[in-house]
């Protein structure tokens, strides 16, 4: 890669202009970012009008023709930066994150000096600035996902992913979708995000597509960002609805990427129904 990496930044907004504006204000003067693309994912409030006030020579606003979900909306911004502006590095970020410019600078530096990686990010912190229990994930197998439908199964699956701070970069499988940097050539080569999910599993599918093409992802241990954890989603969807959407995405991932047959697909469908019933029972008990 050349020394002058043209850098684009994508922010996806849906009915949450206040959070998006806060992020725009915090990064608009970062010289390490050449272009910022805000994608308003067909919001039903006055997000587009509110966000339009921040359009300038560096900040572009795109309004999607429909709310096609996370992957659909992000792809609009990514394609604009890759195909229309020939950006070399694309940063993809939730609106509900906070970070200093050092994060962008370090990721760009590592992309320049370490050709091994096509996706990089820092260590995720929670709203209090504490390290989260899962700053990266493994690509899930069918059996892992099946267990994950149930309370006991989640206890079996549960593990803490340890960051080895002795390494400058840890090679990992799945980088959380809340914030990541990716080489434009890599995301273009894999055909961008898979738009067949509405929410959830996008980063898992992205990791699987990258892995299938031989691309590697890394976690830079010396830098971090804060994630406020699905502020926009909580404003938009009820908890039970998010669980249903999550299970639809899990089913799609296992059908298309774990290549499960019809029998195992039906097992997942039954598991989802039992899990939703379990959730409703536990919700009543915990009230």
């Amino acid at each position: 890669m050349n020394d002058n990496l043209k850098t684009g930044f994508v922010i996806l907004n849906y009915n949450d202009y206040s959070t998006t504006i806060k992020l725009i204000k915090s990064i608009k003067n970062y010289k390490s970012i050449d272009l910022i693309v805000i994608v308003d994912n067909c919001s039903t409030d006055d997000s587009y009008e509110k966000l339009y006030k921040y359009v300038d020579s560096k900040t572009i606003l795109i309004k999607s023709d429909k709310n096609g979900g996370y992957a659909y909306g992000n792809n609009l911004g990514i394609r604009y930066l890759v195909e229309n502006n020939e950006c070399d590095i694309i940063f993809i970020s939730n609106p509900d994150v906070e970070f200093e410019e050092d994060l962008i600078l370090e990721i760009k530096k590592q992309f320049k000096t370490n050709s091994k990686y096509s996706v990089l990010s820092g260590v995720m912190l929670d709203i209090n600035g504490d390290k989260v229990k899962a700053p990266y994930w493994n690509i899930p197998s069918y059996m892992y996902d099946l267990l994950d439908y149930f309370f006991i199964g989640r206890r079996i699956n549960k593990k803490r992913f340890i960051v080895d701070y002795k390494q400058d970069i840890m090679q990992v499988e799945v980088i959380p979708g809340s914030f990541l940097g990716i080489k434009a050539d890599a995301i273009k080569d894999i055909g961008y995000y898979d738009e067949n999910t509405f929410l959830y599993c996008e980063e898992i599918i992205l990791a699987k597509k990258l892995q299938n093409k031989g691309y590697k992802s890394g976690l830079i241990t010396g830098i971090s960002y804060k994630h406020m954890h699905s502020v926009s989603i909580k404003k938009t969807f009820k908890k039970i609805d998010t669980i249903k959407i999550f299970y639809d995405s899990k089913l799609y991932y296992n059908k298309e990427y774990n290549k499960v047959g019809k029998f195992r697909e039906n097992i997942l469908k039954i598991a989802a129904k039992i899990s939703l019933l379990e959730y409703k029972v536990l919700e009543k008990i915990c009230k």
Side-chain angles (χ1 to χ4, degrees):
M1 302 190 77
N2 61 57
D3 289 336
N4 299 309
L5 300 176
K6 188 173 183 182
T7 302
F9 198 99
V10 179
I11 309 169
L12 184 64
N13 174 82
Y14 180 72
N15 287 356
D16 194 18
Y17 62 82
S18 59
T19 305
T20 301
I21 288 170
K22 183 180 177 182
L23 179 58
I24 295 165
K25 286 181 175 179
S26 73
I27 68 171
K28 65 179 181 179
N29 293 322
Y30 288 0
K31 293 181 180 179
S32 54
I33 300 172
D34 297 299
L35 285 171
I36 299 169
V37 172
I38 311 156
V39 178
D40 183 52
N41 212 10
C42 206
S43 293
T44 56
D45 62 4
D46 55 350
S47 280
Y48 186 82
E49 290 74 23
K50 296 285 187 182
L51 294 169
Y52 190 79
K53 297 175 184 178
Y54 294 87
V55 171
D56 54 29
S57 59
K58 182 175 179 175
T59 307
I60 295 100
L61 177 62
I62 297 173
K63 186 176 179 65
S64 65
D65 58 343
K66 64 178 181 179
N67 180 9
Y70 177 93
Y72 176 84
N74 273 309
N75 275 347
L76 288 176
I78 296 166
R79 284 195 172 98
Y80 181 87
L81 291 169
V82 174
E83 297 174 10
N84 294 359
N85 290 277
E86 298 182 340
C87 286
D88 302 296
I89 300 296
I90 308 297
F91 285 91
I92 302 158
S93 174
N94 284 9
D96 55 348
V97 299
E98 293 178 3
F99 59 89
E100 301 296 327
E101 188 171 14
D102 287 351
L103 178 66
I104 303 292
L105 291 169
E106 183 61 26
I107 289 174
K108 290 180 70 172
K109 174 187 170 184
Q110 292 296 340
F111 274 134
K112 288 178 185 178
T113 59
N114 198 330
S115 60
K116 175 180 178 180
Y117 296 103
S118 294
V119 179
L120 289 170
S121 188
V123 177
M124 187 198 299
L125 308 178
D126 64 22
I127 194 169
N128 299 313
D130 298 321
K131 298 178 179 70
V132 299
K133 292 180 179 179
Y136 62 93
W137 309 318
N138 292 332
I139 296 174
S141 64
Y142 167 80
M143 187 53 67
Y144 179 96
D145 269 351
L146 180 59
L147 285 171
D148 206 46
Y149 281 88
F150 307 105
F151 178 81
I152 293 174
R154 289 191 288 274
R155 303 282 78 77
I156 295 170
N157 281 343
K158 192 174 182 180
K159 64 180 288 189
R160 185 181 179 90
F161 290 87
I162 304 298
V163 177
D164 182 359
Y165 290 98
K166 293 180 181 178
Q167 296 185 52
D168 291 334
I169 304 179
M170 284 179 59
Q171 184 174 323
V172 299
E173 293 187 358
V174 184
I175 295 289
S178 50
F179 181 90
L180 60 87
I182 187 167
K183 291 178 180 176
D185 288 347
I187 198 161
K188 190 174 181 180
D189 185 37
I190 65 169
Y192 302 93
Y193 279 106
D194 186 326
E195 297 179 8
N196 289 292
T197 59
F198 185 80
L199 274 176
Y200 303 114
C201 298
E202 299 91 359
E203 58 268 273
I204 292 170
I205 293 172
L206 180 69
K208 188 76 169 180
K209 292 175 76 173
L210 289 164
Q211 186 184 73
N212 289 344
K213 288 271 191 171
Y215 294 110
K216 293 181 171 55
S217 301
L219 189 72
I220 304 174
T221 63
I223 54 175
S224 60
Y225 66 95
K226 282 186 182 180
H227 181 213
M228 309 311 168
H229 295 285
S230 302
V231 170
S232 300
I233 293 172
K234 288 176 183 176
K235 286 181 179 179
T236 306
F237 298 103
K238 294 178 181 178
K239 179 69 174 177
I240 191 69
D241 293 329
T242 64
I243 294 172
K244 290 176 181 176
I245 294 168
F246 181 44
Y247 288 162
D248 286 343
S249 297
K250 272 181 174 288
L251 182 64
Y252 175 76
Y253 161 71
N254 277 282
K255 285 170 59 179
E256 297 300 321
Y257 293 92
N258 279 339
K259 301 298 182 184
V260 302
K262 199 68 179 176
F263 176 76
R264 290 196 290 175
E265 177 187 336
N266 287 332
I267 293 294
L268 288 176
K269 289 179 179 178
I270 294 168
K273 290 179 180 179
I274 296 170
S275 181
L276 288 168
L277 179 61
E278 179 186 77
Y279 169 77
K280 290 175 182 177
V281 171
L282 289 173
E283 189 178 42
K284 288 182 179 179
I285 292 172
C286 293
K287 279 184 177 180

